Each structure stands twice: as structure tokens, then as C-alpha cells.
Amino acid sequence: MTVRAADRARYDRATAHLDAPLAIVDLDAFDANAEDLRRRAAGKPIRVASKSVRCRTLLERVLAMDGFAGLMSFTLAESLWLARSGFEDVLLAYPSADRSGYAELAADPKLAAAVTVMVDDVTQLDLIDAARGDGREVIRVCLELDTSLQLLGGRIRVGALRSPLRSPAQLADFARTVTRRQGFELVGIMAYEGHIAGVGDSVAGRPLRSRAIRLMQATARRELAERRAEVVRAVRAVAPDLEFVNGGGTGSVESTVAEDAVTEVAAGSGLYVPRLFDNYTSFTGRPAALFAQPVVRRPGVGVVTVLGGGYPASGAPGVDRLPVPYLPEGLRYDPQEGPGEVQTPLLGAPADDLLIGDKVWFRHAKAGELCERFDQLHLIEGDTVTATVPTYRGEGHTFL
């Protein structure tokens, strides 16, 4: 029996009393992935990206492990909710225009001490001030550095379109603006190199593309390491008490923590290991989060139909954004239909061994987005469901 076949047998036994659709997290795999991230971080703390987990129970679980400290959130409303729930160090990774959220943050000493917000433009500071109302708490802020690789004088750009702040001079100038402005405290710098951390460098069946990606990433790492060090020196000259310099993601842990300027690394997807994280030479994780859809039809030889399953991930549309049928091995989509909102036909020899009511197990393309489809996660240890816990959605929150 293959490892995957053994996993399928475990998951089927553990959930035999549950009807699909359902979602699980294999805690043995989750914990092993966390330990591997800790090893790769080589002693630097890992800030957990909450959008890749979206379950408070699992966020608490990983933060209780050695090597993990603090959360990286994705909306201000989520940040405030997490802080009210007892999480004491929440870095909001994206600028916000949530005026009611800023009013709440500025009025509550506990929230203001726990939450750090992202800024990269003076008008964001203006928005925060205009939203304060009667709140007078000091707002902790972090500056974001643009990490994109720019070649030929900027005519070629590789990387996400995020912050407008790129050069040491720009960051230092904006740092002076923040430090001179009453009601704000500059505490950190963030720089997410998504073109390294979020792009697999070993694409199955694409050796030339994989080689080109590795070449691009090697060039980008060298350029960013030099520029990030210069930026940190420039900003520390303005704000010597800077608390943290955050960088990286699951796919770049080793190279990010190797930079002396970086004090912590971010990671989250590496806990669940969705399908987009299969294509890296630097690490191999264990799929920990899966969802099951029930077989509801047998249209013919070599075909079964499952309920639903059309859960595409965010990003540029493409086949890589679709979930994949994972267990039993050997199933594939009908190219004329793909995964559907209400039903999904699956082709392949294993279909003939599936009966109405059997479960087909899928892996999502990305990590936390799976939790927007399910209100609870069944936590599996061995071949037993040991707990069932709510996702953000199950607690009544869909922050985006």
C-alpha cells in the first residue's frame, strides 16, 4: 500500500460517521510541517500568516510551539478580533481604509498595544487621523518595502505590485514623516518577496521554465538582500528602536533568514501545504488540509460525479488555481467541465471502484482559502477525529 493509499484509508475510517462535503486537517502532518518550518528558520522567529490558516484553534496550536511568535493578519477587522481574542502581537500586512476599525483601535489601549498597521503613503496616515474620533491611543505602524526585481532601468519588473516605497532614501524619508507625526510610532519594516517565496522553482514537466525561475530567483535574492540591508540601515538611522524587520514566506524561509537585516520570517501556507507548494526544491511538506466531496453519480465506465468541488483559488486564472482530486490516486477532471459549482465529473480507472456515498479527497490550490468554503475543520490524529473546530467562517467571520 502506498503512503497516499494508507492516508486515504485513515481519513475514510476517521470520517466514516460524517457526511461529505467536509474538511479535515491531519494534525500529524500539520505538526511535522511546523517543525520543518522551525528547522528552516534556523533560530529566527516565524510570524504566522493567519490568512493561510483561518482557524483560531490552529493558530493557537502553532503559536504554542517553539520558534513561532506573533501573527500576520490580512484585514483590520480581523486584526482587532484576534487581539480581542487574546493574541498579543498582530501585524496587519496590508494597508486598510477601515475607518470604524481605526476609530476602535485608537480608542482602546489593549488593541493599540497589540496591533501594528501597515502604511506606505502619507494619505494613509491622514485617513487614520481623520478616523480617530475621540481616540488618542498611539498607533503602531510598519513600513512596507517594494521587493520587486527591476531590470533594464525598470522596463522589466518581476514581483507583486505592492508598496511604492523602494529605495533606502524613500523609506528613510517616510520614516521621518512618521516619527515626526504625533500619534504614531514606527516599529517595523516588512518586505514580502512573493516572486521568490510564492513561486515554485521546480514545475513538474517544465524543466526549462523551472531553470528560468531559479535563475530569476537567484538574481532577485542577491539584489534584494543588498537593498534590504541598505533600507534597514537608513530607517534605523531615523528610528533606532525599530522592533522588527519581517520578510519572506514559506517558499523562501532559508534565504530570507540568512540576511542579517531580517529579524523574523513570515510563513503560513507551509503548515497546510496546498498544491501550489509542491513545486519547490528547498523543501517538501506533507499535505495537511484536505476536503472531501461525496460520490453522487456513476454516469458510466471510468466516470463518477461528486457533489460540488468548484473551489478556485485567487490569483491569475489558470489550471494551477484549481483544487486537485488527490485520493484515490489516478482521478482527473473532465477537460470539458472541470470542477463545477454543483457537480464535478471525475475520470479514471479508480472511478470504477467508487460507490455512491464514497468520499473523494481533494487538495486546494492555496491554503486558508479552503476555510472560506467550510465552517468547521475535523482534526485527525491517526485514524480518529479528535476534535472538530470552527474556521473563521464558522465563527461568523468572512473578513474578505
Side-chain angles (χ1 to χ4, degrees):
M1 180 181 292
T2 67
V3 172
R4 281 173 60 173
D7 283 342
R8 181 196 175 200
R10 287 196 300 114
Y11 301 152
D12 282 347
R13 285 195 300 269
T15 63
H17 61 297
L18 300 171
D19 289 331
L22 58 83
I24 65 166
V25 171
D26 183 333
L27 289 181
D28 294 333
F30 182 91
D31 291 350
N33 292 334
E35 172 58 26
D36 192 51
L37 285 169
R38 187 196 65 79
R39 175 191 61 80
R40 295 170 61 206
K44 289 190 177 179
I46 302 167
R47 185 179 291 273
V48 181
S50 63
K51 78 178 182 69
S52 299
V53 179
R54 302 192 203 197
C55 172
R56 282 198 300 166
T57 299
L58 292 176
L59 290 174
E60 291 167 352
R61 183 184 184 92
V62 70
L63 286 176
M65 300 177 184
D66 290 341
F68 294 85
L71 294 178
M72 176 178 283
S73 58
F74 60 99
T75 74
L76 182 54
E78 180 212 14
S79 306
L80 299 177
W81 177 65
L82 290 170
R84 286 193 297 269
S85 301
F87 295 94
E88 297 179 347
D89 179 6
V90 183
L91 169 62
L92 174 56
Y94 307 88
S96 176
D98 180 354
R99 289 173 290 188
S100 63
Y102 282 130
E104 185 176 355
L105 181 64
D108 189 315
K110 177 183 176 182
L111 296 180
V115 175
T116 301
V117 304
M118 192 65 58
V119 295
D120 56 33
D121 191 303
V122 69
T123 56
Q124 295 158 354
L125 303 178
D126 295 339
L127 186 148
I128 295 171
D129 273 338
R132 284 178 184 271
D134 295 329
R136 290 294 176 265
E137 295 298 322
V138 172
I139 305 298
R140 293 166 52 88
V141 301
C142 176
L143 309 185
E144 181 166 3
L145 165 68
D146 169 41
T147 65
S148 65
L149 174 64
Q150 297 187 13
L151 304 171
L152 300 179
R155 292 190 293 275
I156 295 177
R157 174 193 175 98
V158 181
L161 292 164
R162 292 177 63 114
S163 173
L165 303 176
R166 179 173 180 81
S167 70
Q170 287 176 313
L171 272 291
D173 185 57
F174 192 53
R176 281 187 285 271
T177 297
V178 173
T179 56
R180 291 169 181 169
R181 190 152 176 165
Q182 188 174 0
F184 295 94
E185 180 184 8
L186 175 58
V187 298
I189 299 172
M190 188 191 86
Y192 172 57
E193 53 266 41
H195 50 301
I196 303 171
V199 178
D201 62 350
S202 181
V203 184
R206 304 288 297 276
L208 294 180
R209 177 174 175 79
S210 298
R211 185 175 179 181
I213 290 171
R214 288 193 290 271
L215 178 61
M216 175 276 291
Q217 291 179 338
T219 303
R221 281 193 293 268
R222 289 192 296 271
E223 186 277 334
L224 179 59
E226 180 178 339
R227 182 159 53 88
R228 181 154 43 195
E230 294 174 356
V231 163
V232 171
R233 283 194 295 270
V235 173
R236 285 196 184 278
V238 176
D241 295 329
L242 208 63
E243 296 176 13
F244 64 86
V245 177
N246 178 280
T250 290
S252 73
V253 171
E254 293 92 342
S255 61
T256 302
V257 300
E259 297 181 33
D260 291 339
V262 173
T263 66
E264 62 176 40
V265 67
S269 295
L271 296 167
Y272 286 169
V273 187
R275 65 166 294 198
L276 282 177
F277 285 81
D278 287 346
N279 302 321
Y280 288 79
T281 56
S282 59
F283 74 100
T284 301
R286 291 174 55 184
L290 299 94
F291 67 93
Q293 304 295 118
V295 174
V296 293
R297 283 178 170 165
R298 291 172 52 89
V301 175
V303 185
V304 292
T305 301
V306 298
L307 181 70
Y311 306 155
S314 60
V319 173
D320 65 338
R321 301 291 145 166
L322 300 179
V324 290
Y326 184 61
L327 302 170
E329 298 179 65
L331 293 173
R332 65 186 187 279
Y333 293 126
D334 178 347
Q336 301 302 314
E337 294 196 41
E341 178 188 12
V342 178
Q343 70 166 37
T344 298
L346 297 170
L347 313 179
D352 293 329
D353 296 323
L354 291 169
L355 303 176
I356 301 295
D358 284 351
K359 296 179 177 76
V360 175
W361 296 90
F362 293 77
R363 293 174 66 199
H364 205 274
K366 299 183 78 172
E369 292 182 21
L370 169 66
C371 295
E372 297 301 323
R373 298 286 183 167
F374 293 90
D375 58 10
Q376 57 187 15
L377 297 171
H378 301 286
L379 307 184
I380 290 179
E381 296 181 76
D383 60 359
T384 303
V385 172
T386 56
T388 297
V389 299
T391 61
Y392 280 11
R393 173 178 169 172
E395 296 200 66
H397 296 288
T398 51
F399 292 110
L400 276 179

